[in-house]
Amino acid sequence: DSVIRSGAFASATSAQAAAADCQAALSAAELCERYAARVHQFATMVASNDVEAEDLAQSALERALRGLSSFDPAKGEVEAWLWRIVVNVARDAGRAVKRRQLLLERLGRLRGSPEVLGNVPPGVDNEQLLSAVRALTPLQRSVVALRYGADLEYGAVGNALGISSGAAAVAAHRALKALRRKLLEDER
């Protein structure tokens, strides 16, 4: 009787080991073949448009493929592991969308600032303005972000950057000139 039980235990143990080896041996191609369509369907349902869905699905599968070699079948099934990755990538993407919306709202306030108004040519949309701000030098970006994005006075901008309020005002003036120059270049 104990021989039968120990034989059954050995069979069950070897079946579990074989299943674990099967999961561990899952190749990148097999992972994509088995799950890509379902990951894309999920992404289509949670993303706001098809382009975002494609990006989300691709990012999730890329992250899973990068981590496939470190997947530990002792900690759970590959499918559960994959869906945790997919959900985390979707959450990250949602946070990024929220940050981008907030940034665009702040750019709207930047555009409405009397100091900035004359430096943004008519017809420039928020995406173009954001691109031009990102093309500024790190100091110029910081000054613009602190002065117009965070709505800080020059003294506070100077304190944040370790410069005087006068230097912050000059840096803001120069940043706006560079911003206008960049926007005009992009119009051509």
Side-chain angles (χ1 to χ4, degrees):
D1 189 33
S2 67
V3 171
I4 295 173
R5 278 194 217 138
S6 65
F9 177 75
S11 293
T13 304
S14 64
Q16 288 172 340
D21 288 344
C22 177
Q23 283 185 335
L26 184 69
S27 71
E30 290 170 321
L31 181 85
C32 289
E33 187 177 310
R34 284 187 199 175
Y35 298 106
R38 289 173 52 204
V39 168
H40 187 267
Q41 287 172 343
F42 169 85
T44 301
M45 295 180 80
V46 299
S48 61
N49 60 51
D50 289 343
V51 173
E52 284 182 18
E54 290 287 333
D55 288 347
L56 192 151
Q58 182 175 352
S59 294
L61 287 169
E62 284 176 3
R63 191 178 294 177
L65 292 173
R66 280 193 310 271
L68 189 57
S69 64
S70 64
F71 169 71
D72 182 2
K75 293 183 179 178
E77 295 181 18
V78 71
E79 188 166 355
W81 169 80
L82 173 66
W83 287 110
R84 278 192 302 276
I85 291 171
V86 172
V87 168
N88 286 337
V89 169
R91 286 181 182 151
D92 293 347
R95 286 196 238 7
V97 166
K98 287 178 186 172
R99 283 192 305 269
R100 185 162 187 79
Q101 288 171 341
L102 181 60
L103 178 61
L104 291 175
E105 288 172 17
R106 288 181 180 156
L107 281 174
R109 289 196 304 264
L110 170 67
R111 183 185 294 279
S113 165
E115 291 174 81
V116 176
L117 198 56
N119 290 295
V120 179
V124 172
D125 64 25
N126 283 344
E127 291 293 332
Q128 292 167 310
L129 182 56
L130 177 58
S131 177
V133 168
R134 287 180 172 160
L136 296 173
T137 67
L139 174 63
Q140 291 170 336
R141 274 195 317 271
S142 295
V143 169
V144 167
L146 291 167
R147 176 69 185 104
Y148 307 106
D151 200 27
L152 297 180
E153 297 297 326
Y154 291 118
V157 171
N159 287 338
L161 297 175
I163 59 178
S164 69
S165 62
V170 169
H173 175 75
R174 289 180 181 160
L176 292 177
K177 280 178 61 175
L179 180 64
R180 179 171 179 74
R181 196 170 38 254
K182 175 69 176 143
L183 289 168
L184 290 172
E185 284 173 12
D186 290 348
E187 269 187 355
R188 294 182 205 147

